[in-house]
PDB file of all heavy atoms in Angstrom:
ATOM      1  N   TYR A 122     223.566  71.936 249.723  1.00  0.00           N
ATOM      2  CA  TYR A 122     224.905  72.593 249.694  1.00  0.00           C
ATOM      3  C   TYR A 122     225.320  72.910 251.178  1.00  0.00           C
ATOM      4  O   TYR A 122     224.725  73.835 251.877  1.00  0.00           O
ATOM      5  CB  TYR A 122     224.803  73.922 248.959  1.00  0.00           C
ATOM      6  CG  TYR A 122     226.137  74.443 248.632  1.00  0.00           C
ATOM      7  CD1 TYR A 122     226.782  74.254 247.506  1.00  0.00           C
ATOM      8  CD2 TYR A 122     226.803  75.294 249.621  1.00  0.00           C
ATOM      9  CE1 TYR A 122     228.047  74.774 247.223  1.00  0.00           C
ATOM     10  CE2 TYR A 122     228.104  75.762 249.408  1.00  0.00           C
ATOM     11  CZ  TYR A 122     228.674  75.459 248.165  1.00  0.00           C
ATOM     12  OH  TYR A 122     229.973  75.932 247.961  1.00  0.00           O
ATOM     13  N   THR A 123     226.143  72.013 251.719  1.00  0.00           N
ATOM     14  CA  THR A 123     226.369  72.088 253.081  1.00  0.00           C
ATOM     15  C   THR A 123     227.548  73.011 253.413  1.00  0.00           C
ATOM     16  O   THR A 123     228.598  72.921 252.923  1.00  0.00           O
ATOM     17  CB  THR A 123     226.691  70.626 253.641  1.00  0.00           C
ATOM     18  OG1 THR A 123     225.647  69.838 253.278  1.00  0.00           O
ATOM     19  CG2 THR A 123     226.913  70.676 255.174  1.00  0.00           C
ATOM     20  N   ILE A 124     227.191  74.035 254.239  1.00  0.00           N
ATOM     21  CA  ILE A 124     228.182  74.965 254.592  1.00  0.00           C
ATOM     22  C   ILE A 124     228.979  74.557 255.869  1.00  0.00           C
ATOM     23  O   ILE A 124     228.398  73.806 256.771  1.00  0.00           O
ATOM     24  CB  ILE A 124     227.497  76.308 255.085  1.00  0.00           C
ATOM     25  CG1 ILE A 124     226.461  76.824 254.079  1.00  0.00           C
ATOM     26  CG2 ILE A 124     228.474  77.440 255.328  1.00  0.00           C
ATOM     27  CD1 ILE A 124     226.923  77.178 252.692  1.00  0.00           C
ATOM     28  N   VAL A 125     230.269  74.794 255.909  1.00  0.00           N
ATOM     29  CA  VAL A 125     231.036  74.390 257.090  1.00  0.00           C
ATOM     30  C   VAL A 125     230.431  74.925 258.287  1.00  0.00           C
ATOM     31  O   VAL A 125     229.948  76.093 258.431  1.00  0.00           O
ATOM     32  CB  VAL A 125     232.528  75.130 256.952  1.00  0.00           C
ATOM     33  CG1 VAL A 125     233.324  74.722 258.208  1.00  0.00           C
ATOM     34  CG2 VAL A 125     233.192  74.607 255.705  1.00  0.00           C
ATOM     35  N   GLU A 126     230.245  74.069 259.381  1.00  0.00           N
ATOM     36  CA  GLU A 126     229.668  74.351 260.604  1.00  0.00           C
ATOM     37  C   GLU A 126     230.182  75.705 261.262  1.00  0.00           C
ATOM     38  O   GLU A 126     231.356  75.907 261.251  1.00  0.00           O
ATOM     39  CB  GLU A 126     229.862  73.109 261.560  1.00  0.00           C
ATOM     40  CG  GLU A 126     229.451  73.422 263.044  1.00  0.00           C
ATOM     41  CD  GLU A 126     228.038  73.861 263.196  1.00  0.00           C
ATOM     42  OE1 GLU A 126     227.187  73.450 262.412  1.00  0.00           O
ATOM     43  OE2 GLU A 126     227.831  74.741 264.065  1.00  0.00           O
ATOM     44  N   GLY A 127     229.293  76.518 261.601  1.00  0.00           N
ATOM     45  CA  GLY A 127     229.706  77.744 262.217  1.00  0.00           C
ATOM     46  C   GLY A 127     229.919  78.897 261.235  1.00  0.00           C
ATOM     47  O   GLY A 127     230.185  80.051 261.688  1.00  0.00           O
ATOM     48  N   GLN A 128     229.792  78.643 259.887  1.00  0.00           N
ATOM     49  CA  GLN A 128     230.081  79.737 258.943  1.00  0.00           C
ATOM     50  C   GLN A 128     228.794  80.026 258.151  1.00  0.00           C
ATOM     51  O   GLN A 128     227.873  79.319 258.187  1.00  0.00           O
ATOM     52  CB  GLN A 128     231.165  79.041 257.844  1.00  0.00           C
ATOM     53  CG  GLN A 128     232.301  78.449 258.553  1.00  0.00           C
ATOM     54  CD  GLN A 128     233.481  79.425 258.439  1.00  0.00           C
ATOM     55  OE1 GLN A 128     233.945  79.945 257.436  1.00  0.00           O
ATOM     56  NE2 GLN A 128     234.077  79.666 259.694  1.00  0.00           N
ATOM     57  N   ALA A 129     228.876  81.277 257.530  1.00  0.00           N
ATOM     58  CA  ALA A 129     227.874  81.782 256.772  1.00  0.00           C
ATOM     59  C   ALA A 129     228.070  81.388 255.260  1.00  0.00           C
ATOM     60  O   ALA A 129     229.307  81.057 254.916  1.00  0.00           O
ATOM     61  CB  ALA A 129     227.711  83.227 256.800  1.00  0.00           C
ATOM     62  N   ALA A 130     227.030  81.298 254.409  1.00  0.00           N
ATOM     63  CA  ALA A 130     227.213  80.919 253.101  1.00  0.00           C
ATOM     64  C   ALA A 130     227.992  82.011 252.248  1.00  0.00           C
ATOM     65  O   ALA A 130     227.744  83.242 252.570  1.00  0.00           O
ATOM     66  CB  ALA A 130     225.747  80.717 252.387  1.00  0.00           C
ATOM     67  N   ASN A 131     228.782  81.545 251.419  1.00  0.00           N
ATOM     68  CA  ASN A 131     229.639  82.510 250.595  1.00  0.00           C
ATOM     69  C   ASN A 131     228.767  82.655 249.286  1.00  0.00           C
ATOM     70  O   ASN A 131     228.550  81.702 248.536  1.00  0.00           O
ATOM     71  CB  ASN A 131     230.912  81.881 250.283  1.00  0.00           C
ATOM     72  CG  ASN A 131     231.812  82.551 249.434  1.00  0.00           C
ATOM     73  OD1 ASN A 131     231.362  83.048 248.253  1.00  0.00           O
ATOM     74  ND2 ASN A 131     233.095  82.717 249.665  1.00  0.00           N
ATOM     75  N   PRO A 132     228.482  83.959 248.891  1.00  0.00           N
ATOM     76  CA  PRO A 132     227.632  84.140 247.745  1.00  0.00           C
ATOM     77  C   PRO A 132     228.231  83.646 246.378  1.00  0.00           C
ATOM     78  O   PRO A 132     227.552  83.224 245.571  1.00  0.00           O
ATOM     79  CB  PRO A 132     227.382  85.731 247.718  1.00  0.00           C
ATOM     80  CG  PRO A 132     228.518  86.262 248.588  1.00  0.00           C
ATOM     81  CD  PRO A 132     228.787  85.193 249.577  1.00  0.00           C
ATOM     82  N   GLU A 133     229.603  83.690 246.237  1.00  0.00           N
ATOM     83  CA  GLU A 133     230.138  83.418 244.959  1.00  0.00           C
ATOM     84  C   GLU A 133     230.024  81.907 244.921  1.00  0.00           C
ATOM     85  O   GLU A 133     229.737  81.312 243.732  1.00  0.00           O
ATOM     86  CB  GLU A 133     231.723  83.745 244.875  1.00  0.00           C
ATOM     87  CG  GLU A 133     231.935  85.264 244.527  1.00  0.00           C
ATOM     88  CD  GLU A 133     232.444  86.085 245.585  1.00  0.00           C
ATOM     89  OE1 GLU A 133     233.505  85.580 246.249  1.00  0.00           O
ATOM     90  OE2 GLU A 133     231.901  87.135 246.036  1.00  0.00           O
ATOM     91  N   GLU A 134     230.306  81.189 245.970  1.00  0.00           N
ATOM     92  CA  GLU A 134     230.114  79.698 245.826  1.00  0.00           C
ATOM     93  C   GLU A 134     228.735  79.264 245.598  1.00  0.00           C
ATOM     94  O   GLU A 134     228.500  78.318 244.829  1.00  0.00           O
ATOM     95  CB  GLU A 134     230.614  79.069 247.275  1.00  0.00           C
ATOM     96  CG  GLU A 134     232.184  79.223 247.380  1.00  0.00           C
ATOM     97  CD  GLU A 134     232.610  78.628 248.645  1.00  0.00           C
ATOM     98  OE1 GLU A 134     231.942  78.031 249.439  1.00  0.00           O
ATOM     99  OE2 GLU A 134     233.785  78.979 248.998  1.00  0.00           O
TER     100      GLU A 134
END
Side-chain angles (χ1 to χ4, degrees):
Y122 190 95
T123 306
I124 312 289
V125 177
E126 169 55 37
Q128 308 263 302
N131 174 316
E133 282 113 53
E134 286 173 16

